[in-house]
Structures are given as C-alpha cells and as structure tokens.
Amino acid sequence: MSNEIKEEKSKAGVVTAVVIAIAVIVGGIMFFKPSNNVKVQEQKVATATTAPKPKAEKTVARIDIITKLVDAKKPQFEVYVDGSKTPEKQAEWMPKFGNQGYVVQRHDGAKNIKLKALKDVDIDIILRGPDKRDENKKFIPVWVKYTSVTVNGKKILSEPVSVWHNKPFRHTIKAKAGDEIKIHAEWTKADTASAK
C-alpha cells in the first residue's frame, strides 16, 4: 500500500507542478501584456499630435452682372463661366429690387466670364465681396482686392481696388444684340487696414 500512496503522491506532485507552471506562464503573459487602455491612450496622443493644420480660408469674390428689370422670366443677356456651354441661372431675388441678372461668386482667385447680349442692353458689372451678416442681419464687411479686371482685353481698373458687399466697384457695358463680351477678373484677400 505504501507503493500506491507513493505513486499517488508522485502523480499529485506532477499535477501540482504542471498547474503551477501553467499559472506562472499565464500570469507572466498577463503581467507583461499591455492593457487596452494603454493602447487607446497611445492612439489618442498620436492622433492629437498628427492632426492636420487648418487650411487657410479662401477669399470669396462676388461679381453681380445686372440690368434694369424688363421681364424676370426672359433674360436680356446670358452669362457663361469658365467656358461652360450652359448659361448661369438668373438670380431669382433681383426683380424685388427692379433688376435682373446674375451673381457669380467663387473663391479660386480668377474667373473668365462670357456675356451674350440677347438685345440692346446696358449691363452693370459690380465687383463686391460676399454677403455676410451677423445674427441681427447686419452686414459684416468682408474685403476683397480685385487686382485685375478686363472687358474684351481692355483694363477697367487703373490700379487694384478693395471692395466689400456694400462698397462695390461698378462698370457699365453698353451692349448690342448679338454682342459677346469677355470679362476676366482676378482677386486676392484685401488688407483690411488699408482697404477702409
């Protein structure tokens, strides 16, 4: 019987040794394995330090091309921008102010505009900044500097001009039916200190 007890003790000792060895291995793995919280924190830090820098705000220019209202549903001239085959749509709000025409508002620093006169008409080209207002609907000056504007290759600016929505620059074109008029405009952000 003592042999059987010795064998039992020996087997128990082996089993105990195996269980202890497994516990030590698993404990070691758990101890040296980083927790998920550490990974999340590391990722947050990496994201915060590699966030992209905000892009510089582009200067938005607005060019109103208008004439006196005759018939809001029938254009007196058409406007094509940057070689488009389709004319722009007339601004629906203009008839309330006794005008009809178009608003070309872009931010890329230069525009080529073609006008096609459908009848004899005086067309006003109005260089502005965008319509920006505060919560009380009061205009906020957003200055734009037009550096070059030509009509059929002829300069209409003797020097750069800074404008905003309520302080525009105007130029009138006397067009005959069938005339095609090419306008090229370039602009940049105005130095607001010198613009006023």
Side-chain angles (χ1 to χ4, degrees):
M1 208 149 175
S2 69
N3 267 348
E4 288 177 17
I5 291 175
K6 284 183 181 177
E7 281 182 31
E8 290 287 323
K9 283 184 177 180
S10 178
K11 285 181 185 176
V14 171
V15 169
T16 303
V18 169
V19 169
I20 290 172
I22 291 172
V24 168
I25 292 170
V26 170
I29 291 171
M30 296 303 285
F31 180 76
F32 290 108
K33 180 180 174 189
S35 72
N36 285 342
N37 290 342
V38 172
K39 284 184 180 176
V40 169
Q41 288 174 350
E42 288 171 0
Q43 288 173 349
K44 284 182 182 174
V45 169
T47 302
T49 58
T50 60
K53 293 180 182 177
K55 292 181 180 178
E57 190 174 317
K58 294 185 177 186
T59 301
V60 177
R62 173 176 163 169
I63 303 171
D64 291 2
I65 307 167
I66 67 170
T67 191
K68 294 292 179 200
L69 177 65
V70 173
D71 182 346
K73 295 183 182 184
K74 291 184 181 178
Q76 297 182 62
F77 60 94
E78 294 176 329
V79 172
Y80 299 82
V81 178
D82 287 339
S84 172
K85 303 292 182 204
T86 306
E88 298 284 305
K89 289 188 177 186
Q90 286 196 108
E92 294 178 3
W93 56 267
M94 283 191 186
K96 289 189 275 187
F97 299 95
N99 298 314
Q100 65 187 98
Y102 306 83
V103 174
V104 177
Q105 185 164 289
R106 305 290 197 277
H107 62 76
D108 41 7
K111 255 325 120 213
N112 288 306
I113 301 168
K114 181 168 71 173
L115 310 180
K116 285 187 180 179
L118 303 176
K119 52 176 66 178
D120 293 355
V121 61
D122 289 349
I123 302 170
D124 289 328
I125 309 300
I126 306 169
L127 309 177
R128 305 179 181 270
D131 180 344
K132 186 172 182 181
R133 303 180 196 213
D134 65 15
E135 64 277 356
N136 297 318
K137 297 189 178 184
K138 183 180 175 188
F139 281 99
I140 299 171
V142 179
W143 291 90
V144 176
K145 180 191 279 185
Y146 287 87
T147 55
S148 174
V149 179
T150 61
V151 175
N152 289 336
K154 182 182 175 189
K155 287 184 178 184
I156 63 167
L157 296 179
S158 58
E159 60 185 27
V161 62
S162 293
V163 300
W164 69 281
H165 185 276
N166 289 3
K167 187 182 174 192
F169 174 89
R170 296 174 180 266
H171 178 77
T172 301
I173 300 168
K174 296 191 176 296
K176 298 289 184 192
D179 284 354
E180 287 193 5
I181 300 145
K182 293 180 180 177
I183 300 168
H184 177 76
E186 295 178 13
W187 61 88
T188 187
K189 184 175 183 176
D191 174 15
T192 55
S194 64
K196 298 173 185 177

